[in-house]
Amino acid sequence: MFEFDVVGGTTARKIISESRSELVSVVRDAYLAHYRGDSVNPNSYFLRFPGKPNARIIALPAYLGGDTDVAGIKWIGSFPRNIQNNIPRASAVLLLNDYATGYPFACLEASQISAARTAASAVLGAARLLGRTEAEKIAVVGSGIIARNIVEFFAAESWSVGEFALYDQVPDYARSLATHIREGVGHTASVSDSLSDALKGADVVVLATTAGEPYITDPDSFAPGQVVLNVSLRDVSADIVLSSYNVLDDVDHCLTAQTSPHLAELKSGNRDFVSGVLAQVIEGEVTLEADRTRIFSPFGLGVLDLAVGAYVHRRAVETGQATSVADFFGETQRWG
C-alpha cells in the first residue's frame, strides 16, 4: 500500500518504443471512458511568467476510472527557447495516486509519456477521420520531438505511406527529422521548400509547431477531404476552422486558451462549427463527408496521461525496471 516507485525517462522511452500499437488502444479506451463520464478531467492550470511570455508550466489533474482507476497530475513545462541550446522544449513529471487512499504510488518522467499520448491520439484521429491507414503523402509541419513521435506511431500502426513531406522554418530541423525517418523508421521522407509545397496533395497534415497564433490563413491552404491534425492547436485561422469539419477531443477543454477552435468560437459567437468529439467518431455517432477539410484538434486530456502513465508504470514494475523508494512516507500509521 505504501510502496513508491520512480520510473525514469530512459525506461519510459524503452517501454513506449516496444508498445506503441498497444498505447493507441490504451488512448482509444481512455477517450471512450471519458466520453462515458467515467473520468474527472478539470481544466488545466497555466503558470505563466511576465518575463517569459512564450514559456509556461501546466498542471493537468485528472481521474480515470474503469480498469485504470487512478488519479494523478502531470506537471509539464514548455520553454520554447530551450531548443536554441539543443535542449528539448518540454519537460514533465507525472504523479499517480491510489484512488482508494489518495496516496501517491509512483512518479514518472513524463515528457516521453506526454509525447506518446499526443502521438497516439493524433494517429488514432488520423485513421478515424481519414477512414483508412494509407496515405500517398503525409505533410509534417514542425520537426521537433512531438513530430518525431507522431511519425513513429504512424509506423507502429503499420500505415502505408508513400512519402512524409517535412517543413520547418529551420530547414536543418526538417533535414534531421527526414534522416531519422529514412534511417530509423524506414519510410521515405523529403524536405519541402515552403509550407504550401508541403501541404499540397497531402492526404494528412500534421501541425506540430510552437506557434502562439495562427499563421495559416489562406482559405485555400487545405483541400476538401484532407485531414488536418491540429496538434499544436494555434496554427490555423478562425476562418479556416469555421469552413471545415471540426472534431475535438473535449469541447469545453479545447475551446479555451486562444486555440484555433476557441478563436472560431469567439468570432462566430457559437459552437455550431464543432462536428463532435473523437469518441463519437469512434462509436460511429458522427461521420464526416469529404466536401470539406476535416480538422482534428486534440487539446490533450490529463486522463490520457494517466492511461499511458499507468501502463508504463505497470510494465516497468513487471519487468523490474521501476526503482522502489523505501520508506518514502515518514508515517504510515496515525498511532503506534
Side-chain angles (χ1 to χ4, degrees):
M1 173 178 173
F2 295 108
E3 294 180 354
F4 189 84
D5 299 322
V6 175
V7 179
T10 300
T11 297
R13 174 71 177 170
K14 180 176 183 294
I15 291 171
I16 289 167
S17 68
E18 297 168 347
S19 313
R20 292 189 182 101
S21 188
E22 293 95 324
L23 290 176
V24 173
S25 296
V26 166
V27 166
R28 174 187 179 276
D29 291 345
Y31 271 136
L32 293 177
H34 180 65
Y35 181 55
R36 292 192 301 266
D38 198 5
S39 67
V40 181
N41 203 110
N43 288 336
S44 303
Y45 182 83
F46 287 71
L47 176 63
R48 299 186 183 276
F49 311 95
K52 296 183 176 182
N54 293 328
R56 61 190 185 273
I57 306 179
I58 313 171
L60 289 82
Y63 163 74
L64 180 61
D67 293 336
T68 305
D69 199 31
V70 66
I73 187 169
K74 181 176 72 173
W75 182 239
I76 180 166
S78 175
F79 282 59
R81 291 182 183 177
N82 284 352
I83 63 177
Q84 298 173 7
N85 297 312
N86 198 30
I87 300 172
R89 172 187 60 83
S91 59
V93 292
L94 175 69
L95 283 176
L96 301 179
N97 294 72
D98 177 65
Y99 182 57
T101 66
Y103 271 69
F105 62 85
C107 178
L108 299 90
E109 194 283 329
S111 65
Q112 305 292 333
I113 290 167
S114 187
R117 65 86 149 140
T118 300
S121 170
V123 172
L124 174 64
R128 295 296 177 168
L129 268 65
L130 191 63
R132 61 182 189 272
T133 56
E134 59 183 31
E136 287 297 319
K137 179 181 179 180
I138 295 180
V140 181
V141 182
S143 301
I145 290 173
I146 296 298
R148 183 193 73 201
N149 275 267
I150 291 173
V151 171
E152 290 170 345
F153 269 80
F154 272 121
E157 284 292 272
S158 300
W159 273 66
S160 174
V161 181
E163 175 192 25
F164 286 96
L166 314 180
Y167 175 75
D168 196 291
Q169 288 183 320
V170 181
D172 282 347
Y173 296 163
R175 284 191 281 268
S176 294
L177 180 57
T179 299
H180 174 72
I181 293 172
R182 288 191 292 262
E183 298 179 1
V185 182
H187 279 273
T188 301
S190 64
V191 177
S192 299
D193 294 330
S194 67
L195 175 62
S196 60
D197 286 345
L199 301 182
K200 186 177 181 180
D203 300 284
V204 178
V205 176
V206 179
L207 301 177
T209 74
T210 59
E213 58 185 29
Y215 60 91
I216 301 177
T217 59
D218 185 338
D220 297 322
S221 295
F222 304 121
Q226 202 170 41
V227 171
V228 177
L229 304 178
N230 186 28
V231 176
S232 39
L233 288 173
R234 296 171 178 85
D235 304 63
V236 182
S237 73
D239 287 334
I240 292 177
V241 171
L242 292 171
S243 66
S244 304
Y245 292 117
N246 291 277
V247 174
L248 315 181
D249 54 0
D250 182 285
V251 176
D252 289 334
H253 282 77
C254 201
L255 298 184
T256 58
Q258 301 295 302
T259 64
S260 295
H262 186 208
L263 296 178
E265 179 190 31
L266 294 175
K267 183 165 186 174
S268 65
N270 59 63
R271 298 181 172 185
D272 295 346
F273 61 91
V274 177
S275 305
V277 296
L278 183 60
Q280 291 176 296
V281 178
I282 293 171
E283 295 283 53
E285 298 173 8
V286 169
T287 58
L288 306 176
E289 302 297 331
D291 58 332
R292 302 184 197 173
T293 303
R294 307 162 185 170
I295 301 178
F296 175 45
S297 297
F299 190 77
L301 302 176
V303 292
L304 303 185
D305 295 293
L306 293 184
V308 174
Y311 177 93
V312 170
H313 174 251
R314 183 174 67 253
R315 292 289 298 135
V317 171
E318 291 171 350
T319 57
Q321 298 180 80
T323 300
S324 180
V325 181
D327 300 324
F328 182 81
F329 298 100
E331 290 184 286
T332 56
Q333 293 181 338
R334 288 192 66 203
W335 303 104

